[in-house]
Amino acid sequence: MALREKARLTLDLTRYQDQILDISGYFNGRVGDTDDYLPVYITSNGLPVNMRGWKYEYGGVDNQGHVHRHIYPVRGDDRNDQIMLGRVTLHFDERTFNVPGHWQQFYIRFIGEDGSTVSTVDMDFNVIDEIKDPRELAAELREALNPKMSIDDKIAFLEEVAAQNGGIL
């Protein structure tokens, strides 16, 4: 889900050749969300792009090796969108973020009115696990503190719990 209501991630279609863009300050997918979205401002050489008639394709490979590929028309009907000025909101459906962890590859490809690829932006991307019930988490932590467990097993368990909760114990 978008992290800030008024913040839009600016994507310049001419500037990301051989670069991987870190979008964690703007967007993090979460397992279980059914309609994630990312407000973006699409430019070309710093100028707004009229996105009417365009499509966007997004996908990649999640951390378990599942390949994702989804194509949708660009719409400008969300709050504060202006499709003719490149201010649009990209939606990710419920089939996208099913596995927590770092995606091995994630991209958004913009497809012009004529069906040709205008630009592809590669992104560094993480999916956060569902938020656990505090009682469930407490039970897991009690188990991790079990005196019969080896210290290595405890450390591995706590690292796993932290990874599942976005680095938070």
Side-chain angles (χ1 to χ4, degrees):
M1 176 177 315
L3 298 177
R4 292 174 277 177
E5 174 65 29
K6 295 183 181 181
R8 285 188 183 268
L9 174 63
T10 299
L11 297 176
D12 195 314
L13 301 178
T14 60
R15 305 236 172 134
Y16 300 106
Q17 300 283 337
D18 301 320
Q19 291 181 1
I20 297 177
L21 187 63
D22 180 6
I23 63 169
S24 59
Y26 292 89
F27 180 84
N28 286 304
R30 184 176 294 278
V31 172
D33 284 353
T34 57
D35 185 23
D36 283 325
Y37 60 92
L38 174 63
V40 295
Y41 175 44
I42 306 299
T43 63
S44 179
N45 284 320
L47 300 173
V49 175
N50 183 347
M51 303 293 291
R52 279 192 305 184
W54 286 40
K55 294 180 183 176
Y56 66 100
E57 173 185 333
Y58 69 89
V61 181
D62 65 29
N63 73 335
Q64 292 190 354
H66 300 116
V67 176
H68 295 264
R69 182 174 179 255
H70 310 267
I71 300 175
Y72 290 100
V74 172
R75 297 186 342 237
D77 53 4
D78 280 35
R79 182 177 161 183
N80 297 322
D81 282 356
Q82 294 175 308
I83 197 166
M84 293 178 65
L85 297 176
R87 290 183 173 94
V88 296
T89 302
L90 306 179
H91 288 266
F92 306 105
D93 68 35
E94 70 277 359
R95 298 169 293 155
T96 305
F97 308 123
N98 299 321
V99 180
H102 186 78
W103 280 49
Q104 298 168 19
Q105 177 186 23
F106 187 79
Y107 69 91
I108 298 176
R109 176 173 294 137
F110 294 96
I111 303 165
E113 285 183 281
D114 62 358
S116 65
T117 297
V118 176
S119 183
T120 301
V121 180
D122 293 311
M123 300 181 175
D124 189 30
F125 193 75
N126 287 302
V127 176
I128 301 169
D129 202 357
E130 294 178 271
I131 297 174
K132 293 191 176 198
D133 175 44
R135 285 175 274 188
E136 179 185 344
L137 185 56
E140 289 179 11
L141 290 173
R142 268 194 300 280
E143 184 178 322
L145 299 174
N146 182 343
K148 294 178 183 173
M149 274 181 117
S150 74
I151 190 69
D152 290 334
D153 289 342
K154 288 180 183 180
I155 291 170
F157 180 80
L158 290 172
E159 286 174 343
E160 179 183 331
V161 169
Q164 291 175 355
N165 289 292
I168 301 169
L169 281 178

